[in-house]
């Protein structure tokens, strides 16, 4: 049974979250803003970050970011600026999808994770 416990603990550790999202603190219709995505992965793996939005109140300025687009591509965690434009008052859900690899020795497997944040865009008034 010790082997099963170790396997379960290893599996849970492998599922630890590696992406988080910091939305802008406030946003008004017509404004530009930046959300920050934090990705905690080893420095030797490729990273693709794809932002998307649910709702019509918010637009994403840039649709795909790579490790080289991070503020410091060699940092851990990586910090990505996700440029946004508030189109109108309302609510939108900002999502960032991250694809990369997790490697142990010479064995690598693809991994994906998503983080989201609800943004409330206020009117211009």
């Amino acid at each position: 049974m010790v082997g099963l416990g170790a396997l379960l603990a290893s599996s849970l550790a492998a599922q630890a979250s590696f992406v988080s999202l910091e939305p802008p603190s406030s946003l008004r219709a017509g404004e530009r803003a930046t959300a920050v995505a934090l990705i905690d992965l080893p420095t030797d793996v490729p990273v693709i970050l794809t932002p998307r939005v649910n709702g019509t109140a918010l637009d994403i300025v840039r649709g795909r970011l790579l490790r080289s687009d991070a503020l410091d591509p060699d940092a851990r965690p990586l910090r990505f600026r996700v440029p946004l434009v508030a189109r109108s008052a309302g609510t939108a859900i900002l999502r960032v999808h991250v694809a990369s690899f997790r490697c142990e020795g010479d064995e690598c497997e693809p991994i994906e994770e998503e983080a989201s944040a609800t943004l409330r865009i206020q009117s211009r008034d």
Side-chain angles (χ1 to χ4, degrees):
M1 287 297 179
V2 174
L4 180 60
L7 180 61
L8 180 59
S10 173
S11 175
L12 290 174
Q15 294 176 11
S17 179
F18 62 86
V19 61
S20 63
L21 184 59
E22 297 174 354
S25 58
S26 67
L27 193 55
R28 292 194 179 279
E31 290 182 344
R32 293 182 175 270
T34 302
V36 176
L38 298 166
I39 301 170
D40 190 14
L41 288 171
T43 59
D44 61 342
V45 296
V47 173
I48 299 174
L49 180 134
T50 307
R52 68 180 198 276
V53 66
N54 294 41
T56 59
L58 188 68
D59 282 339
I60 296 169
V61 176
R62 187 160 178 206
R64 179 157 291 172
L65 301 161
L66 305 175
R67 177 182 283 277
S68 59
D69 296 313
L71 294 175
D72 178 356
D74 297 320
R76 186 165 183 189
L78 293 167
R79 294 179 65 83
F80 289 89
R81 288 187 178 149
V82 180
L84 309 168
V85 176
R87 293 288 174 207
S88 62
T91 301
I93 300 173
L94 174 63
R95 299 180 192 281
V96 291
H97 177 267
V98 177
S100 186
F101 292 90
R102 180 172 283 127
C103 301
E104 289 187 28
D106 291 338
E107 299 291 321
C108 294
E109 65 180 5
I111 56 172
E112 297 180 49
E113 188 170 328
E114 191 170 282
S116 65
T118 300
L119 284 79
R120 288 178 177 71
I121 296 112
Q122 301 171 355
S123 63
R124 293 181 192 198
D125 300 53

